[in-house]
Amino acid sequence: MASDELLFLKLGGSLITDKARPYTHRPGLIHRLGEEIRQALEDRPGLRLLLGHGSGSFGHQAAAPHGTREGVRTPGQWRGFAEVSAAAARLNALVTDILLEAGLPVVSLSPHASVRCRDGEIVHLATEPIREALRHGLVPLVYGDVAWDEVRGGTIVSTEDLFVYLAPLLRPARVLLVGSAPGVLDDQGRVIPRITPASFPEVQRFLQGAHTTDVTGGMADKVARMIRLVEAIPGLRVHIFSGEEPGRVRRAVAGGDPDFGTCISSMPARSPPPPTAGRGGPSPPAVPSDKGTGNAGPGPTSSAGETAAGRSDGLRRSTPQ
């Protein structure tokens, strides 16, 4: 793999917080994940990383009573907008401090400072701070946050929303979505090793929204959006897996395509392995690598602010569930 490979990595809110207990983070687990990421970057000195995290039991709990994702218009909803912003920032501060303690040189970049939306879709995001952080060997850290919206007044953007907007501009080779689930599961609770645009209609019937409070749509929306993203960027691979098992994040970051979890790609597997056991079961067989089809390295240099003009309609977000 190219030494200047760029990777997007999300630490899901279901992983870094206890989503069943409001405003409860998991400091020991976050520290361990930070150490694994640091070790992976030491293993691969040229690897560049854009890191994001979800809001879990912080932002989602604050947003749900106000319907912030759908729009902000009344004084009460604007108060809720402010509360969601504060909750998301509170978790981000906790995560930032813990990752720095673990030796990871993260620099937090607040999305609401520059994101502009139109009816729930990001149309502007300042990318120069991200590019500068990467240029200087830092790890830019973004997170699910509130955003200004010219149609809805205000809304919420998830880490996946940010990744979908940034991927065509920064051209990552891989996207890793790390949560508490071992991957995308079928109706028997088994991990589906690989999903392609061709197989997605069959897989879609297994998908359900999150069982805990998640105002951004849960697994069903996540997979649908990633399918559209790999269709728009040929060669891009998205991997969904659990970060609960020690060592897996390090292996996935430093070692190329992981042989566990679910791979989403526009490239069909030559010999798709059968579904494997979910939580507590054995790891699935290795996912065939799409080596040579990735998009290593950044895209063309751009100005500090970039808009969504000219981008594929296929990247538009589905209606939040």
Side-chain angles (χ1 to χ4, degrees):
M1 287 175 289
S3 61
D4 62 346
E5 179 184 5
L6 175 62
L7 180 70
F8 286 6
L9 168 63
K10 177 191 176 181
L11 304 178
S14 64
L15 179 65
I16 64 172
T17 74
D18 183 344
K19 292 188 79 171
R21 298 175 60 195
Y23 307 106
T24 305
H25 71 305
R26 303 175 69 187
L29 182 139
I30 297 169
H31 191 277
R32 190 257 294 170
L33 293 172
E35 288 185 328
E36 288 193 29
I37 297 167
R38 173 182 55 77
Q39 291 164 354
L41 294 177
E42 291 171 352
D43 294 340
R44 294 274 309 282
L47 183 66
R48 297 171 304 131
L49 177 68
L50 170 63
L51 183 61
H53 70 77
S55 289
S57 65
F58 285 71
H60 293 289
Q61 291 288 341
H66 302 284
T68 309
R69 176 81 156 184
E70 287 72 36
V72 183
R73 297 173 182 85
T74 69
Q77 288 174 328
W78 281 113
R79 174 59 185 262
F81 182 89
E83 292 173 356
V84 174
S85 175
R90 192 179 315 133
L91 176 60
N92 178 251
L94 293 168
V95 172
T96 299
D97 287 346
I98 295 171
L99 294 179
L100 286 169
E101 289 173 1
L104 194 63
V106 294
V107 55
S108 176
L109 301 174
S110 173
H112 78 255
S114 73
V115 171
R116 298 293 181 271
C117 295
R118 180 179 301 124
D119 201 15
E121 299 295 329
I122 299 176
V123 294
H124 174 89
L125 168 60
T127 61
E128 193 58 27
I130 296 173
R131 295 178 187 274
E132 281 297 305
L134 293 170
R135 192 172 295 129
H136 293 289
L138 300 175
V139 178
L141 176 64
V142 297
Y143 57 95
D145 198 5
V146 296
W148 311 102
D149 191 301
E150 63 187 50
V151 175
R152 301 182 186 183
T155 190
I156 290 175
V157 292
S158 67
T159 307
E160 284 85 359
D161 294 332
L162 300 170
F163 282 4
V164 165
Y165 181 87
L166 290 168
L169 303 172
L170 301 180
R171 309 298 291 186
R174 294 181 294 141
V175 175
L176 305 181
L177 304 179
V178 188
S180 58
V184 181
L185 307 180
D186 66 13
D187 58 348
Q188 301 299 312
R190 300 171 299 183
V191 173
I192 302 171
R194 194 175 191 92
I195 302 173
T196 67
S199 68
F200 179 60
E202 176 66 17
V203 171
Q204 195 169 18
R205 65 191 179 91
F206 301 134
L207 301 178
Q208 297 177 350
H211 295 294
T212 52
T213 303
D214 190 331
V215 298
T216 56
M219 184 65 80
D221 187 66
K222 186 194 310 289
V223 174
R225 303 204 66 213
M226 293 303 108
I227 284 289
R228 292 193 293 274
L229 186 59
V230 299
E231 286 181 308
I233 305 178
L236 177 67
R237 287 100 67 208
V238 177
H239 300 275
I240 300 175
F241 63 94
S242 172
E244 297 281 2
E245 182 177 325
R248 284 201 163 185
V249 167
R250 180 179 181 179
R251 286 170 56 194
V253 172
D257 292 343
D259 58 356
F260 44 80
T262 298
C263 175
I264 300 176
S265 172
S266 62
M267 307 294 290
R270 289 186 293 274
S271 299
T276 57
R279 295 180 185 274
S283 297
V287 175
S289 172
D290 295 319
K291 196 169 184 179
T293 62
N295 295 294
T301 302
S302 66
S303 60
E306 295 174 86
T307 69
R311 295 174 62 232
S312 169
D313 288 340
L315 299 185
R316 293 185 62 83
R317 176 171 53 216
S318 59
T319 303
Q321 299 183 14

